[in-house]
Amino acid sequence: MNHIIEKKYVLIIDEINRGNVSSIFGELITLLEEDKRKGNKEEIEVVLPYSQDKFSVPNNLYIIGTMNTADRSVESLDTALRRRFSFVEMPSKPEKLVDVTLEDAEEIDLERLLDKINQRIELLIDKDHQIGHSFFINLKDLNGLKIAFKNKYFIIIKFQFLSSILILHYELVDFLQPLFR
């Protein structure tokens, strides 16, 4: 028996919610639907306007669109896009930090730190604004942690929580203060 193994291809579109879907895909958005792909029952093939070539989306193409739910552009996400993609929540995973130890601050439990910060953010704002474990995953020392807070975390707070910045600041300052002495 002769089986042909078809290769699979992945197209990743980062922050898909920030773009204008009709400008990105145009009329080709319909071709993304599973039943409209090449070889399926309701296959659709179009003629491209400039080249006049025939085009359809193959079954072995997987499209992954990433987005940050804290970004307000998710609220206006195009209905056409919502219908054609599955949405999978990717929450922060503090447990990924269990083996990350700061060389000069072994007493700081980064897993617990991230968990506590996110608990407070969820309580004060919502769970969509929690920060991810990637902020801490490659840290080596206390100075790196301070830089991550100053150049990454505090910047996000500043832009995403403008209306709640004072509440969040006062809530977190007691928890974070020992790190910045």
Side-chain angles (χ1 to χ4, degrees):
M1 197 173 281
N2 199 3
H3 291 296
I4 297 174
I5 298 174
E6 191 175 72
K7 286 185 177 181
K8 296 178 181 181
Y9 296 89
V10 177
L11 171 64
I12 299 173
I13 305 170
D14 194 23
E15 297 192 15
I16 195 167
N17 54 305
R18 289 184 167 263
N20 180 330
V21 175
S22 60
S23 293
I24 295 169
F25 293 107
E27 294 177 19
L28 300 178
I29 186 120
T30 302
L31 303 180
L32 297 177
E33 294 178 31
E34 190 173 340
D35 63 332
K36 306 292 191 284
R37 290 174 176 233
K38 187 174 189 135
N40 290 342
K41 186 178 177 183
E42 295 184 35
E43 172 185 343
I44 294 179
E45 189 174 79
V46 297
V47 176
L48 298 174
Y50 296 111
S51 67
Q52 298 300 307
D53 291 338
K54 291 181 179 180
F55 178 79
S56 62
V57 176
N59 275 324
N60 62 341
L61 175 66
Y62 299 87
I63 300 172
I64 298 172
T66 67
M67 61 182 166
N68 182 344
T69 55
D71 184 338
R72 292 298 165 213
S73 62
V74 173
E75 293 169 356
S76 61
L77 192 60
D78 191 285
T79 305
L81 195 62
R82 288 180 190 262
R83 285 187 24 233
R84 287 164 178 90
F85 283 88
S86 297
F87 292 83
V88 179
E89 184 176 5
M90 302 293 289
S92 176
K93 295 183 178 176
E95 65 275 9
K96 296 269 185 187
L97 302 173
V98 72
D99 294 323
V100 179
T101 303
L102 303 178
E103 292 170 4
D104 54 349
E106 295 85 10
E107 71 279 3
I108 296 177
D109 181 344
L110 293 175
E111 180 182 10
R112 183 172 169 269
L113 174 67
L114 178 58
D115 190 51
K116 292 294 183 188
I117 289 170
N118 281 338
Q119 283 176 17
R120 291 182 187 202
I121 290 172
E122 183 174 359
L123 178 72
L124 295 169
I125 313 293
D126 60 36
K127 74 176 190 162
D128 288 338
H129 285 84
Q130 293 179 344
I131 61 171
H133 56 276
S134 65
F135 280 91
F136 304 104
I137 203 102
N138 293 317
L139 294 177
K140 303 290 182 221
D141 55 27
L142 181 59
N143 191 52
L145 179 61
K146 290 177 181 181
I147 291 169
F149 269 97
K150 181 180 176 195
N151 296 338
K152 293 179 184 177
Y153 179 63
F154 290 145
I155 298 297
I156 286 177
I157 288 176
K158 184 177 179 181
F159 290 109
Q160 291 183 348
F161 308 136
L162 286 177
S163 62
S164 306
I165 191 78
L166 290 175
I167 295 169
L168 195 59
H169 170 75
Y170 288 120
E171 281 291 321
L172 293 176
V173 76
D174 288 338
F175 187 74
L176 298 176
Q177 194 170 17
L179 296 176
F180 298 97
R181 288 187 185 153

